[in-house]
């Protein structure tokens, strides 16, 4: 003979105290904890963003560019991608051209077959010297400071120090290395 009760005990009736039931209290507490957790998460996110802000990492503006003897006559593009500079060797000097079109800032291409720099954005053209000769660009490319490092004889470029043709600065001794 079975002794199991006919029905399961029902849950205790919700108690109301001053118009507030136990169920509504639990509901409000859950809501409060959810709000607290969301606020804490937002605060943590803000703290992490403060500690690790969105910083644009630019390449260094000063760098050693190797031995002068490693540069043949003409335009050398080995540093264009990393530092935005061409090293150009002519018959009696070496200079550094900044690889930024002075029209609106695009990066020109060196066209070996045509012996010129050509900007892909609006068609400005520059001679190997950096002097402009076609397109909308208002002036020549800029040259960067170049010198021989006294400690190891390597070429040393300071890209932040610019020399402008239109201001007569290309004859500054810091704007080129004399090779002959
Ligand atoms: S940015 Fe080079 S031609 Fe306009």
């Amino acid at each position: 003979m079975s002794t199991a009760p006919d029905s399961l005990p029902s849950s205790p009736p919700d108690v109301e105290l001053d118009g507030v039931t136990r169920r509504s209290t639990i509901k409000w507490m859950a809501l409060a904890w959810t709000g607290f957790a969301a606020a804490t998460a937002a605060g943590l996110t803000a703290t992490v963003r403060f500690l690790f802000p969105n910083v644009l990492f630019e390449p260094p503006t000063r760098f050693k560019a190797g031995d002068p003897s490693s540069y043949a006559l003409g335009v050398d593009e080995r540093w264009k991608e990393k530092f935005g500079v061409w090293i150009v060797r002519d018959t009696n000097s070496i200079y550094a051209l900044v690889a930024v079109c002075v029209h609106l800032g695009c990066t020109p291409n060196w066209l070996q077959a045509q012996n010129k720099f050509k900007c892909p954005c609006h068609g400005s053209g520059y001679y190997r010297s950096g002097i402009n000769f076609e397109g909308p660009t208002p002036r020549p490319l800029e040259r960067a400071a170049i010198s021989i490092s006294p400690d190891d004889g390597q070429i040393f470029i300071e890209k932040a120090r610019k020399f402008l043709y239109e201001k007569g600065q290309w004859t500054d001794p810091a704007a080129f290395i004399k090779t002959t």
Side-chain angles (χ1 to χ4, degrees):
M1 184 171 266
S2 172
T3 56
D6 290 343
S7 61
L8 292 171
S10 60
S11 55
D14 206 5
V15 179
E16 185 172 331
L17 193 61
D18 289 340
V20 179
T21 65
R22 179 171 33 192
R23 217 168 264 139
S24 73
T25 303
I26 290 171
K27 193 174 94 187
W28 282 111
M29 281 182 71
L31 264 175
W33 275 108
T34 305
F36 175 73
T40 304
L44 270 176
T45 305
T47 304
V48 168
R49 285 192 65 84
F50 174 75
L51 291 175
F52 303 99
N54 281 338
V55 176
L56 182 63
F57 290 99
E58 298 262 341
T61 57
R62 296 151 62 98
F63 66 97
K64 287 192 174 175
D67 196 278
S69 64
S70 67
Y71 291 88
L73 279 179
V75 176
D76 190 294
E77 299 207 90
R78 76 181 82 167
W79 304 113
K80 182 188 171 187
E81 195 157 317
K82 190 169 182 189
F83 295 111
V85 165
W86 290 290
I87 307 280
V88 185
R89 184 180 197 128
D90 64 18
T91 48
N92 53 17
S93 68
I94 297 176
Y95 52 90
L97 282 175
V98 178
V100 175
C101 179
V102 292
H103 178 225
L104 291 175
C106 291
T107 304
N109 297 308
W110 167 243
L111 306 180
Q112 175 73 43
Q114 297 168 47
N115 198 26
K116 70 176 183 181
F117 298 99
K118 184 75 173 170
C119 183
C121 292
H122 314 99
S124 290
Y126 304 87
Y127 294 124
R128 184 165 44 172
S129 62
I131 301 281
N132 54 308
F133 68 95
E134 66 180 351
T137 184
R139 59 191 178 90
L141 294 174
E142 296 172 343
R143 292 189 182 183
I146 186 168
S147 59
I148 297 291
S149 177
D151 52 331
D152 57 7
Q154 288 194 54
I155 291 176
F156 182 60
I157 306 288
E158 294 173 84
K159 203 178 146 190
R161 215 174 137 202
K162 306 254 179 67
F163 295 88
L164 309 185
Y165 174 80
E166 62 274 23
K167 291 191 176 175
Q169 296 171 338
W170 283 8
T171 53
D172 189 304
F176 62 93
I177 296 169
K178 203 148 178 47
T179 54
T180 56

